[in-house]
Every structure is written in C-alpha cells, then in structure tokens.
Amino acid sequence: MGFRKAFLITSILILFFTTGNAANSKLFREYIGAMSSSIKLSDVPVISNVEFHFIIAFAIDYTGLENPSPTNGKFNAFWASSHVTPEEIASVKDKHSNVKVAVSLGGDSVGSKKAFFAPKSIDSWVQNAISSLTSMIKQYNLDGIDIDYEHFKSDPRTFAECVGRLITTLKKSRTISFASIAPYDDGEVQSHYLALWKKYGHAIDHVNFQFYAYERSSASQFVKHFDEQASNYGGGQILASFSTDDESEGGLDPDGGFFEACKELQGKEKLGGIFIWSADNSKKHGFEGEKNSQHLLAA
C-alpha cells in the first residue's frame, strides 16, 4: 500500500470515529403489542427501501398481572397482542427481507402498577436476565432488545452495570445483533441512562429518545430538543419520534410540523431514523404516520 493511499484511509477512519454515528439513516422503528390484543404485525405497512424494526412491547422481569412483583431479571412476555407469535414473526420476516424484530424491556407499568427496575444484585440480575431473554429471543426468533425502564429502585451505577453487561453478553454470544435505549427528558430517567451511555454507549446501536414526552413543541423547538439529546448521547444514532396515542398531548405530531423538523435534520445529516409509539394506536388512523415516515426516510 502506498503512503498516499494509507494516509487517505487513516484520515477517513479518523473522521468516522470522531464524528460518531451522526448521519442520516433509513431506519424506521415501530412499537407494537402494548395496547391492543387485535393488532397484527402484518397490519402495519412496510416499504422495501427502508430498514424496518418492529419492537414488541413489553417483556418485563415481573410475575403475572395478578399481584405483580419483581423477579430479579427473569423476564416474561407481557405484550397484549395474541397475534405477536413466533409464527407471525417468521411470516413477516419471510415476506419482508428488510424487517427485523426486537423486544422492549421494562415499560411504564405492569397492569395498574408501575414497573420498577429492582435488581437484588448486579450479578444475580444479569445471570437471570441472560438466561430468560436468551430463551425468549430464540423462541420468537428476535434480532435485538430495547431498554425502556422508566422507574427505578436502584442507583444509576447499578442500572448501568446490569443493562450494560446484559447487552454486551447477548451481543458477544450473537444472541442479538443490535440494542437500543428509550430514555426521555426526566431527571431520574436521564441520570440512569446517561450512566449507562457513559460506560456502555459503544454497545448501544440506537437511541429511541421519547420526544413526545416533552410538552407540545414547534418544529424549531423539536430540532433544539433533538440537538440537545444528540449532545447528551454523543456519537449515538438518535431517532426522531412521535406518538399516535390520542391521549398524548406532548411533542410534535405530523400535523404540527414533525416532518418539516425531520427534513431540517436530514439537511444537517443528523436524522438517525424515525420511530412511532405505537402501531396499536395507529391502526385506527390507517397508519398514515407510518407510511409518511417511511417515504420520507426512503426519499
């Protein structure tokens, strides 16, 4: 290899690693299964020229809905949809080669109670989580995990170690090929996720930031929030997001300028993708947000 060629390659590598993952992406992600027992993966429109991730919500390390209590990392399926089965996942993947499926861990609640991250110890929680999730991932032929704990009975360091070790172990064993986190702008939530990001950010592929948890925003405010979180999760692939829940009053919806904000972010090479919460709520609206999001990303 000549000196000039070696120098050029080295310069490109330096540029890549110093700029991180801040670049446009064609990644579209959709949460599904938390709100409706009738929603099917096959209900959701998928276009071929995007990378499409279904995220099943939720697997939780709690006992059943009746008198739920923490299980110290032994995860069970809590998604509402009886249609999100291994057979349906296999069918959708066979039909759409661009589809991958992940499972989201935690969530806001178990029945009428809050779902807390409540490990007895780091080692025991990690051991139980690896075992239970490996079985679930193999049973459902899943590709990744998403971390969406929103309530905590642990300090940030414990959360970071538990989740960080879980992700790195599942990746090392090739049980999963990607992992994401789903924080939002709350002091306690951010302290836990930023501790995780500081030590294990290199193992986290996507940041599904819940921008709809902000108060109602304008397009310019949305871009400002996006830039702030891109700074917090430096080098991360940050996705823009909105909620199709009729009860959601925050963030920026498609009618309020969401896609205009996304185009501005695209123009700055910052849009790491789009995700929507959730397919369960979108069905009655004909999945217009899903269609428009994918077309924007594919353009």
Short mmCIF file of all heavy atoms in Angstrom, two decimals, residues 11 39 59 71 75 103 105 141 146 182 191 194-195 224 239 261 284 299:
data_model
loop_
_atom_site.label_atom_id
_atom_site.label_comp_id
_atom_site.label_asym_id
_atom_site.label_seq_id
_atom_site.Cartn_x
_atom_site.Cartn_y
_atom_site.Cartn_z
N SER A 11 -7.10 8.88 7.37
CA SER A 11 -7.86 10.13 7.55
C SER A 11 -9.36 9.86 7.57
O SER A 11 -10.09 10.43 8.38
CB SER A 11 -7.52 11.11 6.43
OG SER A 11 -6.16 11.43 6.43
N ILE A 39 -54.03 -6.16 17.31
CA ILE A 39 -53.06 -5.69 16.33
C ILE A 39 -52.19 -6.85 15.84
O ILE A 39 -51.77 -7.72 16.61
CB ILE A 39 -52.17 -4.58 16.93
CG1 ILE A 39 -51.26 -3.95 15.87
CG2 ILE A 39 -51.34 -5.08 18.11
CD1 ILE A 39 -51.97 -3.08 14.90
N ALA A 59 -41.45 -7.05 27.37
CA ALA A 59 -41.04 -8.15 28.25
C ALA A 59 -40.61 -7.50 29.56
O ALA A 59 -39.87 -6.51 29.55
CB ALA A 59 -39.88 -8.94 27.63
N THR A 71 -39.02 -10.06 39.61
CA THR A 71 -38.45 -11.40 39.58
C THR A 71 -36.93 -11.40 39.52
O THR A 71 -36.33 -12.44 39.27
CB THR A 71 -38.99 -12.20 38.38
OG1 THR A 71 -38.61 -11.50 37.18
CG2 THR A 71 -40.50 -12.34 38.43
N PHE A 75 -37.40 -12.62 32.87
CA PHE A 75 -38.35 -11.88 32.02
C PHE A 75 -39.48 -12.78 31.52
O PHE A 75 -39.27 -13.93 31.16
CB PHE A 75 -37.61 -11.26 30.83
CG PHE A 75 -36.85 -10.02 31.19
CD1 PHE A 75 -35.56 -10.11 31.68
CD2 PHE A 75 -37.44 -8.77 31.07
CE1 PHE A 75 -34.85 -8.96 32.03
CE2 PHE A 75 -36.75 -7.62 31.41
CZ PHE A 75 -35.45 -7.72 31.90
N VAL A 103 -37.41 -6.92 21.10
CA VAL A 103 -38.34 -6.87 22.23
C VAL A 103 -37.89 -5.76 23.17
O VAL A 103 -36.69 -5.58 23.40
CB VAL A 103 -38.41 -8.23 22.97
CG1 VAL A 103 -37.06 -8.62 23.57
CG2 VAL A 103 -39.50 -8.21 24.04
N LEU A 105 -37.77 -4.00 26.86
CA LEU A 105 -37.74 -4.44 28.25
C LEU A 105 -38.19 -3.33 29.19
O LEU A 105 -37.71 -2.20 29.08
CB LEU A 105 -36.33 -4.88 28.64
CG LEU A 105 -35.60 -5.83 27.69
CD1 LEU A 105 -34.23 -6.21 28.28
CD2 LEU A 105 -36.42 -7.07 27.40
N ASN A 141 -37.51 -15.87 17.64
CA ASN A 141 -36.62 -15.51 16.53
C ASN A 141 -36.44 -13.99 16.44
O ASN A 141 -36.65 -13.36 15.41
CB ASN A 141 -37.13 -16.06 15.20
CG ASN A 141 -36.13 -15.88 14.06
OD1 ASN A 141 -34.94 -15.75 14.29
ND2 ASN A 141 -36.63 -15.86 12.84
N ASP A 146 -34.52 -3.70 23.28
CA ASP A 146 -34.69 -2.27 23.52
C ASP A 146 -34.87 -2.09 25.02
O ASP A 146 -35.61 -2.87 25.66
CB ASP A 146 -35.92 -1.76 22.76
CG ASP A 146 -36.24 -0.31 23.06
OD1 ASP A 146 -35.43 0.56 22.69
OD2 ASP A 146 -37.31 -0.06 23.66
N ALA A 182 -34.38 3.74 25.31
CA ALA A 182 -35.52 4.64 25.06
C ALA A 182 -35.73 5.60 26.23
O ALA A 182 -36.74 5.54 26.94
CB ALA A 182 -36.79 3.81 24.83
N SER A 191 -30.51 10.36 34.44
CA SER A 191 -29.33 10.02 35.23
C SER A 191 -28.97 8.55 35.07
O SER A 191 -27.78 8.19 35.01
CB SER A 191 -29.57 10.34 36.72
OG SER A 191 -30.55 9.49 37.29
N LEU A 194 -27.86 8.01 31.15
CA LEU A 194 -26.57 8.63 30.84
C LEU A 194 -25.42 7.90 31.52
O LEU A 194 -24.32 7.83 30.97
CB LEU A 194 -26.60 10.11 31.23
CG LEU A 194 -27.46 10.99 30.33
CD1 LEU A 194 -27.59 12.40 30.90
CD2 LEU A 194 -26.90 11.05 28.91
N ALA A 195 -25.67 7.32 32.69
CA ALA A 195 -24.65 6.49 33.33
C ALA A 195 -24.39 5.25 32.48
O ALA A 195 -23.23 4.83 32.31
CB ALA A 195 -25.10 6.09 34.74
N LYS A 224 -34.30 21.84 18.40
CA LYS A 224 -33.46 22.22 19.54
C LYS A 224 -33.37 21.08 20.54
O LYS A 224 -32.28 20.76 21.05
CB LYS A 224 -34.03 23.47 20.21
CG LYS A 224 -33.19 24.00 21.36
CD LYS A 224 -33.80 25.27 21.95
CE LYS A 224 -32.97 25.78 23.12
NZ LYS A 224 -33.56 27.01 23.72
N LEU A 239 -32.94 8.81 17.05
CA LEU A 239 -34.13 8.76 16.21
C LEU A 239 -35.13 9.83 16.64
O LEU A 239 -35.31 10.08 17.84
CB LEU A 239 -34.81 7.39 16.29
CG LEU A 239 -34.17 6.27 15.45
CD1 LEU A 239 -32.89 5.74 16.08
CD2 LEU A 239 -35.17 5.13 15.24
N ALA A 261 -39.56 19.26 10.62
CA ALA A 261 -38.40 19.20 11.50
C ALA A 261 -37.45 18.09 11.06
O ALA A 261 -36.22 18.26 11.07
CB ALA A 261 -38.85 18.96 12.95
N LYS A 284 -56.22 2.66 13.85
CA LYS A 284 -57.49 3.34 13.57
C LYS A 284 -57.31 4.57 12.70
O LYS A 284 -58.28 5.10 12.15
CB LYS A 284 -58.19 3.71 14.88
CG LYS A 284 -57.44 4.64 15.80
CD LYS A 284 -58.26 4.93 17.05
CE LYS A 284 -57.49 5.70 18.10
NZ LYS A 284 -56.44 4.88 18.74
N ALA A 299 -36.71 8.62 0.72
CA ALA A 299 -36.54 9.58 -0.38
C ALA A 299 -35.07 9.93 -0.62
O ALA A 299 -34.27 9.96 0.31
CB ALA A 299 -37.33 10.86 -0.05
#
